[in-house]
Each structure stands twice: as C-alpha cells, then as structure tokens.
Amino acid sequence: HFDPVSQALAKIERGHDVDLQDVRAMVDRGMIGPVRLREDFEKIRPGLFRYTAIDPAAFARRLADFLATLPPDLKS
C-alpha cells in the first residue's frame, strides 16, 4: 500500500496520459487534494537533487500544469 499523495506525485512526475488520468480520478474521488499535492511536493523538493533522473523544475511545471487542468471547485 502506498500513500496516495506520494503515488500521485510519482504519476505526475512521470507525466504519461494514463498516469494523469489516474491522478485526476484520485482527486475526483476525494482521495487527494491539490493543496496537499502542492504541500507535499514542496516538502520533497529540496531533496530531489539526489535523484538525477528527476528535473525538479520540470517536475514543478508538470504539477502546476496538472493543477491548472482542475476545475475551480476541485482546486482547494
């Protein structure tokens, strides 16, 4: 069992359409929320330099792009 927020962030970082659909379904079902996604991303961001395959700036853009697709009623 994985923490849903960690799982969602991993899927957003990977960025495949099916992953983003999965994350959207998690948001729609109330399993995770945008605020928590942003907060937890900011918690892990300082340590991302240890993972050379991950570009922190690109990851931040993917998260922002995903969150921008959510309707206003799901953005809080």
Side-chain angles (χ1 to χ4, degrees):
H1 298 277
F2 292 101
D3 165 45
V5 175
S6 297
Q7 190 173 20
L9 288 172
K11 287 175 174 284
I12 290 169
E13 193 282 323
R14 195 167 38 230
H16 298 292
D17 287 341
V18 69
D19 289 324
L20 298 177
Q21 291 170 11
D22 289 346
V23 178
R24 177 58 191 266
M26 294 168 80
V27 172
D28 289 345
R29 291 184 179 121
M31 296 173 66
I32 58 172
V35 172
R36 179 77 187 275
L37 285 170
R38 280 189 293 271
E39 289 173 351
D40 283 11
F41 174 75
E42 291 304 325
K43 288 179 186 175
I44 66 167
R45 189 179 202 163
L48 290 176
F49 72 92
R50 293 181 283 176
Y51 305 95
T52 58
I54 297 176
D55 176 352
F59 190 173
R61 279 191 305 277
R62 285 188 185 115
L63 176 59
D65 290 348
F66 172 78
L67 294 175
T69 68
L70 298 177
D73 62 318
L74 293 178
K75 289 188 178 183
S76 56

